Amino acid sequence: MDVKEEVYEQILEILKNAKFPINTMDELIAALPEGLDTTCMIGDVEVTAREAEGLITEKDFPLKDAKHVAGLMVERAGL
């Protein structure tokens, strides 16, 4: 599994209990297990949701499911 797939799968796991659609950034943050302190590993580097927050914009809402979020994050992170 390459880094892109790894990160994608981690995001799906992080959002597995989220209720969709998610309509605002506040709802997305609330859906994360540890809010903005939720972490994801990219290779050997730990990245927090706070550091990745800028990858999702208000124009992206509503978010329809975890796959939608994961796809946006992976694409915009340039993975």
Side-chain angles (χ1 to χ4, degrees):
M1 185 180 307
D2 68 12
V3 172
K4 181 177 179 177
E5 292 169 333
E6 250 180 72
V7 172
Y8 186 90
E9 292 298 322
Q10 286 180 63
I11 294 168
L12 293 182
E13 180 65 23
I14 288 167
L15 292 172
K16 70 181 179 189
N17 295 319
K19 294 188 185 335
F20 288 90
I22 293 176
N23 297 303
T24 66
M25 184 62 76
D26 287 342
E27 286 182 17
L28 178 57
I29 293 167
L32 300 173
E34 297 175 38
L36 289 175
D37 294 325
T38 301
T39 59
C40 184
M41 294 299 293
I42 300 177
D44 294 335
V45 179
E46 186 175 79
V47 177
T48 66
R50 184 178 319 280
E51 294 168 313
E53 184 178 11
L55 297 175
I56 300 289
T57 69
E58 291 301 323
K59 293 178 185 176
D60 296 320
F61 294 97
L63 299 167
K64 61 182 180 175
D65 57 30
K67 290 179 180 181
H68 182 196
V69 178
L72 287 172
M73 300 285 288
V74 167
E75 177 185 323
R76 292 184 181 159
L79 299 176

